[in-house]
């Protein structure tokens, strides 16, 4: 009898340990919208669920099982044709945090102890007519350091898109705040006013910098926004959201470095095994995949490229730099397909960190160091194809080119001044042309120089006799979307029009005009 009791006790111990290390539950159709699985609500088969590394599909009853440790976030990978309930902040409720002991003690609080794992961790979905042609709203780096910055973000950006229509969801590409993680709640309060489902990813200024391991650098982010690595589907697009900041930097134990932990790339590999090859794969992370190994760990980028080699339709979105550029990765960079991989390194909603003179909106103009005005992005998808539009805050959507040229030149002699065109979404692969009045179009020359308009803004700060309101902009960086030509000669006295046209990577043409005068020099 004693031996039988011992065997039973051991069996119970093993069962108890198994229950503590295995999460199970249902993905179900929430017919009454109460976000709770009721008896009559049926499970949904073939839906992906993950613990952040492994990814499994639900069975015919909608059931899943996954191993968990003491620091896991379980989440459902939203399938196309379904929507997820939102919380009071318009954040999708797609995850369950399992931290029985809570987050470690850090300067900025993480997750409180969640207690024992529930007997069933269930995820609610609701059928939804999802169009394969849709638009997402994308923000780069709001990055407020102070409550005043939050007000400028709210007034200068949120006020312009609040209540926006015909946009399916939003995504912020990291640096939701600027090191003061107490402002995460204020950022969240601002963005919920847009009125659409909103996804977030972590930036280097959203981290718990006092964390001693990279796995714990996202504790405050998780408390406010959920997992730092996750995925979801919409139409024929599969979005993968990743934290690509290694902190502490494994090279010296200080600061941070761009890259991924092994288990993050394991998640990407496991996740993509369940995604159709013909779907568009949209990767979103904060630090761009630079070819410069000082900025990004190249072996991590290579493994990511290896995982993507059989997916012909891909796009990466990044931010972080506070300027704008189009990066194209080819075989020389380790990309394994003939067609280059496009990474859009997006301009930011904070621009040049809320610097510069105050504009007509009553907020800092905050033009970025490459001459790109601050703004936000519309990512439009048509099946597995995409287009990207950059919207300058406070300007008409047609404003895509800034022209810098003299306002008046002398008729008696040629000027050495030049015409510059900053095509905000351009790259060196694009064609940019100019004409004066209705003369024939001529190609402009692509250059990588400081944007002269931005330099003129800096000069105002550096030559003023009285202090100006606000903060001086940062020093200029060379623009990756700038074209120039010599000023035309031989025209008559009077007013003339410079017209610029640019054709982007998606085959669309944009134009901008500026007038100038030719006059006699005063005697």
């Amino acid at each position: 009898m004693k031996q039988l009791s011992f065997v039973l006790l051991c069996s119970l111990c093993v069962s108890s340990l198994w229950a503590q290390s295995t999460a199970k539950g249902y993905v179900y159709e929430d017919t009454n919208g109460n976000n709770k699985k009721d008896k009559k609500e049926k499970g949904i088969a073939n839906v992906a669920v993950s613990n952040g590394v492994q990814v499994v599909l639900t069975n015919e009853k909608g059931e899943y099982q996954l191993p968990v440790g003491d620091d896991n976030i379980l989440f459902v990978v939203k399938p196309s044709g379904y929507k997820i309930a939102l919380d009071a902040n318009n954040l999708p409720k797609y995850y369950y945090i399992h931290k029985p002991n809570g987050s470690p003690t850090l300067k900025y609080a993480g997750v409180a102890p969640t207690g024992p794992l529930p007997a069933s961790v269930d995820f609610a979905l609701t059928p939804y007519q999802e169009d394969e042609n849709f638009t997402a709203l994308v923000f780069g780096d709001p990055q407020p350091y102070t409550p005043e910055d939050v007000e400028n973000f709210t007034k200068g950006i949120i006020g312009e898109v609040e209540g926006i229509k015909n946009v399916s969801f939003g995504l912020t590409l990291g640096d939701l705040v600027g090191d003061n993680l107490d402002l995460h709640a204020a950022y969240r309060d601002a963005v919920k006013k847009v009125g659409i489902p909103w996804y977030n990813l972590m930036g280097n200024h959203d981290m718990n910098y006092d964390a001693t391991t990279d796995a714990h650098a996202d504790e405050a982010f998780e408390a406010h926004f959920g997992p730092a690595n996750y995925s979801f589907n919409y139409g024929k697009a599969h979005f993968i959201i990743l934290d690509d900041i290694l902190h502490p930097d494994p090279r010296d134990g200080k600061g941070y470095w761009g890259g991924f932990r092994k288990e993050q790339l394991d998640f990407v590999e496991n996740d993509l095994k369940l995604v159709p090859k013909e779907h568009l794969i949209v990767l979103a992370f904060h630090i761009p995949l630079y070819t410069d190994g000082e900025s990004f760990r190249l072996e991590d980028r290579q493994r990511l490229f290896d995982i993507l080699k059989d997916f012909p339709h891909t796009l990466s979105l990044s931010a972080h730099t506070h300027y704008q550029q189009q990066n194209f990765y080819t075989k020389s960079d380790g990309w394994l397909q003939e067609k280059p991989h496009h990474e859009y390194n997006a301009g930011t909603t904070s621009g040049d960190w809320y610097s510069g003179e105050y504009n007509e909106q009553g907020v800092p103009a905050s033009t970025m160091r490459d001459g790109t005005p601050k703004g936000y992005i519309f990512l439009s998808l048509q099946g597995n194809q995409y287009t990207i539009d950059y919207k300058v805050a406070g300007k008409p959507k047609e404003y895509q080119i800034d022209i810098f040229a003299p306002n008046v030149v002398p008729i008696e002699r040629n000027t050495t001044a030049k015409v510059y065109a900053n095509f905000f979404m351009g790259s060196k692969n694009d064609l940019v042309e100019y004409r004066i009045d209705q003369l024939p179009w001529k190609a402009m020359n692509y250059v990588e120089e400081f944007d002269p308009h931005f330099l003129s803004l800096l000069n105002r700060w550096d030559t003023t006799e009285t202090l100006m309101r606000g903060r001086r902009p940062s020093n200029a960086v060379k623009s990756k979307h700038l074209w120039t030509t010599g000023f035309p000669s031989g025209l008559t006295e009077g007013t003339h029009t410079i017209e610029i046209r640019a054709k982007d990577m998606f085959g669309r043409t944009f134009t901008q005009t500026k007038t100038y005068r030719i006059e006699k020099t005063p005697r």
Side-chain angles (χ1 to χ4, degrees):
M1 177 67 85
K2 288 183 178 179
Q3 185 176 6
L4 179 59
S5 298
F6 177 76
V7 171
L8 287 172
L9 180 60
C10 287
S11 177
L12 288 171
C13 288
V14 171
S15 298
S16 175
L17 287 171
W18 178 252
Q20 290 177 2
S21 61
T22 301
K24 58 184 179 179
Y26 291 87
V27 178
Y28 66 97
E29 187 175 320
D30 189 15
T31 56
N32 61 9
N34 66 353
N35 208 41
K36 178 182 178 182
K37 189 179 186 307
D38 299 312
K39 288 184 178 180
K40 293 184 178 180
E41 292 178 330
K42 296 181 179 180
I44 306 173
N46 296 315
V47 177
V49 183
S50 179
N51 59 8
V53 180
Q54 291 99 333
V55 186
V56 298
L57 291 176
T58 55
N59 64 17
E60 68 278 2
K61 295 181 180 179
E63 298 173 303
Y64 74 91
Q65 287 192 19
L66 278 166
V68 293
D70 288 339
D71 185 6
N72 269 121
I73 302 183
L74 299 165
F75 59 90
V76 62
V77 179
K78 187 195 88 65
S80 298
Y82 288 89
K83 64 180 179 180
I84 294 177
L86 306 178
D87 67 12
N89 298 300
N90 286 328
L91 303 179
K93 298 164 69 173
Y94 64 94
Y95 62 89
Y96 173 78
I97 298 178
H98 178 60
K99 294 178 187 280
N101 303 313
S103 298
T105 301
L106 298 165
K107 177 181 177 180
Y108 294 102
V111 177
T114 58
L117 187 69
S120 187
V121 178
D122 303 327
F123 297 104
L125 296 174
T126 304
Y128 180 66
Q129 188 63 41
E130 204 166 81
D131 197 332
E132 292 180 358
N133 301 332
F134 67 94
T135 298
L137 176 60
V138 182
F139 286 173
D141 298 45
Q143 204 171 339
Y145 286 86
T146 64
E148 181 182 7
D149 287 346
V150 175
E151 291 177 13
N152 288 329
F153 169 63
T154 303
K155 190 173 182 180
I157 300 293
I158 299 299
E160 191 166 300
V161 296
E162 187 172 350
I164 195 168
K165 304 297 182 184
N166 302 317
V167 173
S168 298
F169 61 85
L171 169 65
T172 299
L173 300 173
D175 282 1
L176 317 181
V177 299
D179 297 329
N180 179 0
L181 306 192
D182 286 338
L183 291 177
H184 272 151
Y187 156 82
R188 191 177 57 191
D189 289 343
V191 171
K192 75 178 180 182
K193 295 177 182 178
V194 182
I196 58 177
W198 205 274
Y199 295 93
N200 296 280
L201 67 81
M202 193 175 82
N204 55 292
H205 290 284
D206 298 308
M207 295 192 304
N208 291 90
Y209 270 108
D210 51 339
T212 56
T213 65
D214 186 50
H216 288 144
D218 57 2
E219 297 295 326
F221 178 90
E222 290 179 343
H224 286 93
F225 306 104
N229 305 281
Y230 59 98
S231 62
F232 62 92
N233 297 283
Y234 206 102
K236 286 189 175 179
H238 183 72
F239 290 79
I240 303 177
I241 312 301
L242 297 171
D243 158 24
D244 71 341
I245 306 118
L246 299 170
H247 170 77
D249 186 333
R251 296 172 295 185
D252 59 10
K254 302 174 183 178
Y256 64 87
W257 192 17
F260 304 106
R261 300 191 305 275
K262 177 182 181 300
E263 59 266 29
Q264 293 176 276
L265 293 171
D266 289 345
F267 161 65
V268 175
E269 185 170 7
N270 293 332
D271 176 67
L272 286 177
K273 288 176 182 177
L274 306 177
V275 178
K277 295 294 191 295
E278 68 273 14
H279 280 205
L280 172 66
I281 309 303
V282 181
L283 302 117
F285 34 75
H286 185 63
I287 298 177
L289 303 170
Y290 277 148
T291 53
D292 176 5
E294 291 301 310
S295 301
F296 202 95
R297 192 161 64 182
L298 297 185
E299 56 262 39
D300 300 344
R301 189 186 73 183
Q302 187 58 59
R303 187 181 170 199
L304 180 65
F305 286 176
D306 293 345
I307 294 169
L308 293 169
K309 67 182 176 63
D310 295 324
F311 290 87
H313 308 290
T314 61
L315 168 68
S316 287
L317 302 173
S318 61
H320 182 60
T321 59
H322 293 260
Y323 46 82
Q324 185 155 266
Q325 57 189 335
Q326 313 293 341
N327 298 327
F328 296 94
Y329 299 93
T330 65
K331 287 186 176 181
S332 64
D333 304 304
W335 182 246
L336 302 175
Q337 300 182 40
E338 292 299 325
K339 179 183 176 182
H341 175 65
H342 176 209
E343 177 189 51
Y344 170 46
N345 185 220
T348 64
T349 53
S350 61
D352 184 58
W353 297 278
Y354 303 101
S355 67
E357 297 180 60
Y358 279 64
N359 61 19
E360 60 273 10
Q361 295 171 298
V363 299
S366 205
T367 301
M368 287 174 271
R369 296 168 289 164
D370 65 343
T372 305
K374 71 177 180 185
Y376 48 91
I377 299 101
F378 291 106
L379 173 65
S380 298
L381 290 90
Q382 306 83 32
N384 61 11
Q385 302 300 306
Y386 67 90
T387 55
I388 304 173
D389 291 282
Y390 185 72
K391 170 65 172 65
V392 174
K395 296 290 185 182
K397 65 180 181 180
E398 293 80 13
Y399 180 54
Q400 297 292 318
I401 305 168
D402 180 71
I403 302 174
F404 185 88
N407 295 318
V408 58
V409 296
I411 193 171
E412 295 89 353
R413 58 184 178 275
N414 295 337
T415 178
T416 56
K418 292 184 177 182
V419 177
Y420 284 87
N422 191 330
F423 178 32
F424 309 134
M425 281 292 291
S427 78
K428 63 182 179 180
N429 301 322
D430 298 330
L431 175 64
V432 177
E433 300 172 295
Y434 81 101
R435 69 178 178 182
I436 305 298
D437 302 328
Q438 296 298 312
L439 294 175
W441 290 99
K442 295 182 180 180
M444 300 184 74
N445 300 309
Y446 174 80
V447 294
E448 294 187 8
E449 298 178 4
F450 299 135
D451 176 73
H453 186 193
F454 184 77
L455 291 177
S456 72
L457 299 178
L458 283 181
N459 287 337
R460 284 177 55 84
W461 287 80
D462 293 343
T463 59
T464 181
E465 294 290 341
T466 58
L467 289 177
M468 300 165 65
R469 180 188 179 195
R471 182 175 65 82
R472 179 189 185 273
S474 304
N475 291 328
V477 298
K478 291 182 178 180
S479 176
K480 297 295 182 67
H481 37 82
L482 191 64
W483 285 258
T484 189
T485 189
F487 216 85
S489 60
L491 297 177
T492 60
E493 186 177 355
T495 300
H496 297 271
T497 299
I498 303 170
E499 187 175 6
I500 307 290
R501 73 177 181 187
K503 189 174 183 179
D504 72 1
M505 69 185 76
F506 307 112
R508 302 173 304 179
T509 299
F510 303 92
T511 61
Q512 192 71 33
T513 61
K514 173 185 170 59
T515 59
Y516 74 99
R517 304 186 313 279
I518 298 177
E519 296 181 357
K520 293 180 180 178
T521 304
R523 299 296 180 186

